[in-house]
Amino acid sequence: MSAPTRRRPRRGHGPRGTARRGRAPLVLFGHSLGDTLAYEVARRLPRPPKRLVVSARIAPTVPPATVFRGGTDEELAAELCRLGGTDAAVLGHPELRALVLPAFRADLRAADGYVHPPGPPLRCPVHLLPGADDPAVAEADALRRAEVAPAGFTHRVLPGGHFYLHEQRDEVLAEILRP
C-alpha cells in the first residue's frame, strides 16, 4: 500500500482550491456598538477594507456621554422600547427579559467605557448612515467621524430612529454593497 500523497494546490489557488486573486472587496458594517467594533477592526487590518459603513454611533473621538445607566430592569426596558429596537412583548416577558437585559447592559457599559486609543489611522473611506430621528446620537457627534477618515468621508441620512435599519433594510444593504 502506498503512502498517501499530498496534492499541491493549482497555481493561483490557495488552500482547498480557493482562488487568491479576484477576491471580493471587504466592506465592514457596524451599527451602534458594532460601529465601534468595525472601526477598530478596520484600523488594524493588514490590508484596509474597501469601505467602512457605520451607523447609529457617535464618532470615536467624541467622548462618550453616558448612554444610559438606569439601575432597574424596568428603566432599562423602557429605554430599549424608546429606542425602538426591542419588541415590548419580549421585554414584558420575565424569562426573555432575564435573558436579554444582561447583554444590553454589557453593551451599554462597553459603549460608555470606549476611549479612542492611539493607533494606526483608518486607511479606507467611511460612509456614515445615521437615522434622521435617532434619540441616542446627536447628528453633530456622528458627523465628527470625518475627523478620523483621512481616506474620505460621505454620509446619507435615512429616515427613522436608532434602529432605522429595520425599516430601511433595502436602503442599508444598497449602501453597503454599492461599488
Side-chain angles (χ1 to χ4, degrees), residues 44-66:
R44 287 165 174 77
L45 286 173
R47 197 168 54 153
K50 176 181 177 184
R51 182 173 57 254
L52 172 62
V53 182
V54 292
S55 167
R57 181 86 170 116
I58 59 175
T61 53
V62 174
T66 299

Side-chain angles (χ1 to χ4, degrees), residues 2-174:
S2 63
T5 59
R6 187 174 176 152
R7 291 178 41 169
R8 296 171 76 118
R10 291 190 332 224
R11 186 178 173 154
H13 288 71
R16 299 182 189 209
T18 57
R20 279 188 265 182
R21 286 183 232 134
R23 284 188 219 161
L26 175 65
V27 175
L28 294 177
F29 172 76
H31 177 81
S32 200
L33 183 59
D35 167 319
T36 301
L37 180 62
Y39 169 74
E40 290 296 342
V41 167
R43 288 176 73 195
R44 287 165 174 77
L45 286 173
R47 197 168 54 153
K50 176 181 177 184
R51 182 173 57 254
L52 172 62
V53 182
V54 292
S55 167
R57 181 86 170 116
I58 59 175
T61 53
V62 174
T66 299
V67 177
F68 178 77
R69 291 195 192 265
T72 69
D73 286 354
E74 291 72 29
E75 290 170 325
L76 179 55
E79 177 66 6
L80 293 172
C81 286
R82 182 181 77 84
L83 291 175
T86 309
D87 190 315
V90 170
L91 295 171
H93 190 282
E95 291 167 350
L96 291 176
R97 180 189 280 201
L99 288 173
V100 299
L101 289 187
F104 282 121
R105 283 189 194 285
D107 279 1
L108 293 173
R109 275 193 304 276
D112 284 350
Y114 176 77
V115 176
H116 188 255
L122 198 57
R123 297 175 294 144
C124 66
V126 175
H127 186 58
L128 171 67
L129 295 175
D133 302 311
D134 187 341
V137 180
E139 183 178 8
D141 289 344
L143 290 173
R144 286 190 52 196
R145 175 77 59 171
E147 297 169 5
V148 296
F153 175 78
T154 56
H155 78 284
R156 177 178 174 206
V157 179
L158 293 174
H162 190 71
F163 290 100
Y164 72 90
L165 64 168
H166 294 299
E167 293 84 28
Q168 302 295 328
R169 186 185 70 124
D170 292 342
E171 291 295 318
V172 172
L173 288 173

